[in-house]
Amino acid sequence: MSASTAFNVYARTVVRQRKIPFEITADNDPFYGESNAKVLKESMEQHEGLQEVAKPIGYDSRYSE
């Protein structure tokens, strides 16, 4: 089945059923797990702390306001 035919089948199904023909869910996805959420939160906090200290590449304090 070509990509064009597959899209046409999908589009006709969407129109006929008035919804996407599959269910979207994040169940059992390890990305959304509690342990990964903790790691992501810690990484974001660490990143935010670094932004306060870091200077952009090419930063020259003589030209800052």
Side-chain angles (χ1 to χ4, degrees), residues 1-62:
M1 179 183 300
S2 70
S4 177
T5 301
F7 179 77
N8 285 330
V9 169
Y10 169 79
R12 288 179 181 161
T13 302
V14 168
V15 170
R16 185 176 58 249
Q17 295 181 359
R18 301 183 69 179
K19 65 175 188 166
I20 56 175
F22 49 87
E23 184 177 337
I24 297 175
T25 181
D27 294 341
N28 300 325
D29 187 343
F31 181 81
Y32 296 102
E34 189 174 318
S35 62
N36 194 41
K38 180 180 177 185
V39 170
L40 289 172
K41 182 179 179 185
E42 290 171 357
S43 295
M44 288 172 53
E45 289 171 353
Q46 180 182 15
H47 178 73
E48 289 170 356
L50 291 174
Q51 284 183 334
E52 296 172 2
V53 177
K55 303 286 186 219
I57 295 175
Y59 175 80
D60 190 337
S61 62
R62 294 177 295 175

